[in-house]
Amino acid sequence: MHNEEPAALIFEDEDNTDIPVRRGFPRIAWLVILAMVGFVTYMQNGGRGEPHPLEDEESAPQDVIMLLQSRYLVGAASLWQDQDKLTAHKLYEQAAPLNQGTIEQRLKFAIVAEELAGAEEALSVLSDINDRVETSGFELNNQQLELRDALTVLMTDYAAEEWTAPTVTPHQRQLIKAQLGWFGDLALAPKQGANEAARSAIIRSAQQTAIALLGSAGLFCLFLMVGIMALVLFTAAYVTGSVQSAIHCGHSNHAGIYPETFAVWLLLFFVLTQSASYLVQDDRYRTLAMAAAMFGSLFALAWPRLRGIPWRQIRSDIGWTAGKRPLAEPAIGVGSYIMTIPFLFVGFLASVILMFVTGLVEPVGGGGDEFSPTSLPSHPIVSTVATADWFMVFQLYLVAAIGAPVVEETMFRGVMYRHLRECSHRWGFLLSFLFSALINSFIFAVIHPQGLVAVPALMAIAFGLTLAREWRGTLIPSMIAHGIHNGLLLTVLLLAIGN
């Protein structure tokens, strides 16, 4: 990118010499920022003691993830069973990591085992549960005992090729359906059973999940290849001087005000979102209240104005501008997202490696027994998607594809990044950019609720968005790219769950 003239509606950085010097209190602000980041990270990783405000209390994220994984395996097995008779057994080997966590999770896995490997394997899984319970001294509650016994009777009938399960009582059937949901429906509709209509509906839902996930994986691979080529061209343009930074540093006499602004935003965001979750108890409107709280947190931008910085200069500094080519910036945002995909791929691989290094999954809240709930990196919004109606879907898109991109890009790639670049500009462009992008991306990643194991992937996304901000100056491309990413993930999740 050449050093093009910015849109006339903004000040250039060189024109702020008439603004009074406002050094601010950056050191104090950073102490507040670090304290808040540490506190929020602690809350997001087990210290909360209660569901996240965006989490459906009736459906934990790990349960929804297991549902998606299981439906994918069952759906893939049914789609490919005619081409390869060994497909189900191969997929069952991939399913092994699901056999952990709570008693309910393990009982669900036994049902997946029957579907993919047969009733004898399901009985083996149930026997393993009994052995682990006895060895660990874990006490099952009455409902867990009833569920285990009901599934044992059911699988014993199936192993004897009694597909109508004559020894399973009506009460046990109802218990299986009520407590295990889709898994219960699958258990009561075996391949050789007579209820073809019920089984067809269950398998169709599983195939929909498999198609959605496989399709999204194919789309990701396509974006990855295009993104790599785009990054190569972008790097070549930078080396030849065709692409240059649109952020000019070293002329600001008020950059110290921006860490104060970010600290104010962190405090305001936390207070508003927590207040929204407590004041709005109706789950149907809580997500809408969270969206209002997110947008309300932007009132933190009044802080630099109160500290004497003109509003037009604030907008110029944080990227709230039309950009060099206002009509082209949204399209550039799409391209920026595609260039972010290679970074995301590397970050995803790093997160996967980190999961294996830390033991793949850990008990939620640090529980010490092997029957504690497992915690895979996921967003609390996952559990809400599982039961969402059209109004909730609207709210989820409002938060994920509009609210988060506007608010987070403004504060991270706008306010925070501007401060970091001003502080480090004497180090030279490349070092200043890398330092600012990495610090900004790390803070962005750790305060997200997906867990610490997801930090590399989230940092990778943030790094790509920061590159767009550095390139264009305006936040429009990074907001567009952020919105596309969140919107695509939400769409894939909705299609995969097929609620």
Side-chain angles (χ1 to χ4, degrees), residues 82 84 104 151 173 199-200 217 250 255 313 317 320 365 373 443 493:
D82 293 335
D84 185 355
E104 288 77 11
L151 285 178
R173 291 177 183 273
R199 178 167 177 83
S200 178
Q313 186 61 46
D317 288 342
W320 268 23
I443 295 175
L493 189 57

Side-chain angles (χ1 to χ4, degrees), residues 195-238:
N195 195 345
E196 295 182 5
R199 178 167 177 83
S200 178
I202 296 165
I203 296 303
R204 275 200 306 272
S205 68
Q207 290 176 342
Q208 178 177 335
T209 299
I211 291 171
L213 295 179
L214 290 170
S216 63
L219 186 64
F220 179 85
C221 291
L222 176 63
F223 283 176
L224 176 61
M225 290 187 291
V226 176
I228 291 173
M229 291 187 289
L231 270 181
V232 170
L233 294 175
F234 184 86
T235 303
Y238 169 74

Side-chain angles (χ1 to χ4, degrees), residues 64-74 98 209 213 376:
V64 179
I65 292 174
M66 182 176 185
L67 173 64
L68 287 174
Q69 291 172 316
S70 300
R71 281 172 50 163
Y72 162 75
L73 293 168
V74 172
L98 298 179
T209 299
L213 295 179
L376 286 167

Side-chain angles (χ1 to χ4, degrees), residues 1-2 4 234 242-247 324 332 335-336 339 433 466-474 477:
M1 78 199 110
H2 295 283
E4 305 171 68
F234 184 86
S242 300
V243 169
Q244 297 176 7
S245 169
I247 296 180
K324 304 167 186 176
I332 292 172
S336 297
M339 285 200 300
F433 166 72
T466 305
L467 181 61
R469 156 75 159 135
E470 183 71 41
W471 173 26
R472 304 307 301 170
T474 174

